[in-house]
Amino acid sequence: QNYLDNFWPDLKAAHELFDSILQARRERESESQENHGKEYPEHLPVEVLEAGIKSGRYLQGTLNVNKHRAQLEAFVRLQGCGSKDTG
């Protein structure tokens, strides 16, 4: 803000861009506070997930993503299963 005010006081587009970025940052921070610091809200409460895992309704595993082709290649390795039982 100081840089723009001191060196580019007449550049309206830069000031508007700065204000837009500042507003977006404030909105993101307020959303983060509402979610208790989590970037994404939880889909199900922890208690429901734990009960589902114990009952066998849900499976627990580890998501592995190919860092070079992240949008195309990923798999889940189920806990307690051998390395051949992945899908």
Side-chain angles (χ1 to χ4, degrees), residues 58-87:
Y58 301 126
L59 301 174
Q60 186 172 2
T62 303
L63 176 65
N64 295 287
V65 180
N66 183 329
K67 68 180 179 181
H68 302 290
R69 298 173 46 125
Q71 295 181 346
L72 301 174
E73 293 182 13
F75 66 93
V76 175
R77 185 177 311 265
L78 298 177
Q79 290 184 357
C81 295
S83 61
K84 295 181 181 179
D85 295 335
T86 58

Side-chain angles (χ1 to χ4, degrees), residues 5-6 8 14 18 22 27-30 37 41 52 57 80-81:
D5 290 340
N6 292 329
W8 302 98
F18 177 81
L22 187 62
E27 289 175 4
R28 185 172 183 191
E29 288 173 355
S30 69
R57 181 174 183 180
C81 295

